[in-house]
Amino acid sequence: MTAQLIDGNALAAQTRADVARRVQALKARGVTPGLAVILVGEDPASHVYVRHKVKDSEEAGLHSVLERHPATLPEADLLARIDALNKDPAIHGILVQLPLPKHIDAARVIESISPAKDVDGFHVASAGALMTGQPGFWPCTPYGCMKMLESIGYELRGKHAVVIGRSNIVGKPMAMMLLAKSATVTICHSATQDLGALTRQADVVVAAVGKRNVLTADMVKPGAVIIDVGMNRNDEGKLCGDVDFDAVRRVAGWITPVPGGVGPMTRAMLLVNTLEAAERS
Ligand code: NAP
């Protein structure tokens, strides 16, 4: 068997085009969705991510504001900026790029964002809304994974999904979203014993660890759907996921590549959340 690819680039392009159409409809009603992105410090990877986010927003017709601050910015000043953006009617979504410098309490900063503008979905109110099935913003990465499953018409009800990783931004919300679709969900982490025994029972595996080859072909049930969230570098310095892609694709039914899988969908879902924040306002 050779797995079919779930093409994140193509799905993200469709998603962005759909967002652009909805942005135009909203603009016709006098509302331009606005996203504010705050970057503190000089982390090179963060600079790249932020540049992409701003470019994506502008291409989709959103109003985007990029605030860059030096790494020495006092926490109180950052909180004051967020307070101002919370009150700014032209801004519907606020994103603070993580990681923040060590002297700033990231949890306090995230909690200072109005839940109505929490387009990253990291606020405890957003996490609580997801857990209890209330409307709210879903974190972009697991939300993008759900859209990828939806794009292949996959029926999750009654299926066994194994999520590897339990972070607040990927693993845990992923598990909640799969559960909400009536999958039976197993969450694995660094203390899980015999990971392969669990993944071999899975109809769907989501790998969100950050280590190469966490999922190898002998750990996969034939025909399973494999979603690879991981972002790592291989020996040649090229981007790769958590899954041993070349071997696993010979066993799985569907698989997401890295690059070109979950990454582009994560970016696209930020636009969706920002648009929806503006629509709700
Ligand atoms: P994280 O906070 O470091 O969490 C990693 C999780 O993996 C933890 O729950 C950890 O368990 C678990 N883990 C570590 N070693 C394991 C093992 N050998 N077996 C099973 N589980 C193990 O990372 P994250 O923020 O969730 O991100 C995960 C990966 O996704 C990273 O590579 C990140 O770069 C990538 N990512 C990609 C995107 C994208 O857009 N494509 C977005 C976000 C993240 P413990 O909890 O027990 O420590």
Side-chain angles (χ1 to χ4, degrees):
M1 175 182 288
T2 299
Q4 299 193 56
L5 278 191
I6 309 179
D7 183 344
N9 282 326
L11 188 59
Q14 271 176 33
T15 307
R16 288 194 302 271
D18 179 54
V19 167
R21 271 192 298 275
R22 286 164 66 190
V23 166
Q24 289 315 315
L26 211 51
K27 279 182 169 172
R29 287 165 35 206
V31 179
T32 301
L35 173 69
V37 180
I38 302 180
L39 177 61
V40 185
E42 300 303 330
D43 179 59
S46 293
H47 273 260
V48 173
Y49 293 145
V50 158
R51 217 174 32 242
H52 285 152
K53 287 168 186 174
V54 170
K55 179 172 165 280
D56 288 350
S57 328
E58 286 172 351
E59 285 176 3
L62 275 71
H63 163 60
S64 79
V65 176
L66 170 59
E67 286 197 12
R68 292 170 198 261
H69 298 284
T72 51
L73 182 78
E75 182 181 298
D77 291 8
L78 179 56
L79 294 175
R81 278 308 304 142
I82 292 170
D83 185 46
L85 292 165
N86 281 339
K87 292 172 180 152
D88 183 344
I91 295 299
H92 303 94
I94 302 169
L95 182 151
V96 179
Q97 185 65 45
L98 301 177
L100 287 166
K102 289 206 169 17
H103 68 280
I104 297 179
D105 180 343
R108 191 178 299 142
V109 169
I110 290 165
E111 297 319 306
S112 75
I113 297 172
S114 162
K117 299 190 179 189
D118 176 38
V119 288
D120 243 348
F122 294 169
H123 196 290
V124 287
S126 302
L130 171 60
M131 185 150 185
T132 54
Q134 302 297 312
F137 295 108
W138 288 6
C140 299
T141 299
Y143 193 8
C145 294
M146 292 304 285
K147 289 288 175 194
M148 295 179 104
L149 290 168
E150 199 181 297
S151 75
I152 59 167
Y154 194 77
E155 172 59 58
L156 282 162
R157 186 178 185 79
K159 299 288 183 7
H160 183 197
V162 169
V163 179
I164 317 175
R166 58 171 164 181
S167 70
N168 289 336
I169 61 172
V170 188
K172 281 188 219 164
M174 185 78 244
M176 285 297 138
M177 290 174 201
L178 293 162
L179 185 62
K181 290 287 180 191
S182 298
T184 300
V185 182
T186 301
I187 307 175
C188 301
H189 45 74
S190 65
T192 297
Q193 293 183 20
D194 202 351
L195 182 63
L198 296 163
T199 57
R200 272 190 290 277
Q201 298 171 34
D203 303 299
V204 177
V205 180
V206 181
V209 174
K211 288 182 186 160
R212 287 162 59 188
N213 298 333
V214 155
L215 193 75
T216 49
D218 58 307
M219 297 166 76
V220 172
K221 176 160 106 175
V225 181
I226 310 297
I227 308 282
D228 192 353
V229 179
M231 285 198 306
N232 311 295
R233 296 273 164 197
N234 67 15
D235 292 336
E236 290 85 52
K238 286 195 183 140
L239 193 62
C240 67
D242 289 347
V243 175
D244 180 5
F245 181 83
D246 289 333
V248 169
R249 73 178 303 186
R250 289 197 280 272
V251 182
W254 293 89
I255 191 165
T256 65
V258 179
V262 174
M265 280 307 291
T266 296
R267 281 169 60 181
M269 298 322 291
L270 175 66
L271 302 180
V272 172
N273 277 350
T274 306
L275 169 70
E276 287 178 0
E279 286 175 344
R280 286 177 205 174
S281 79

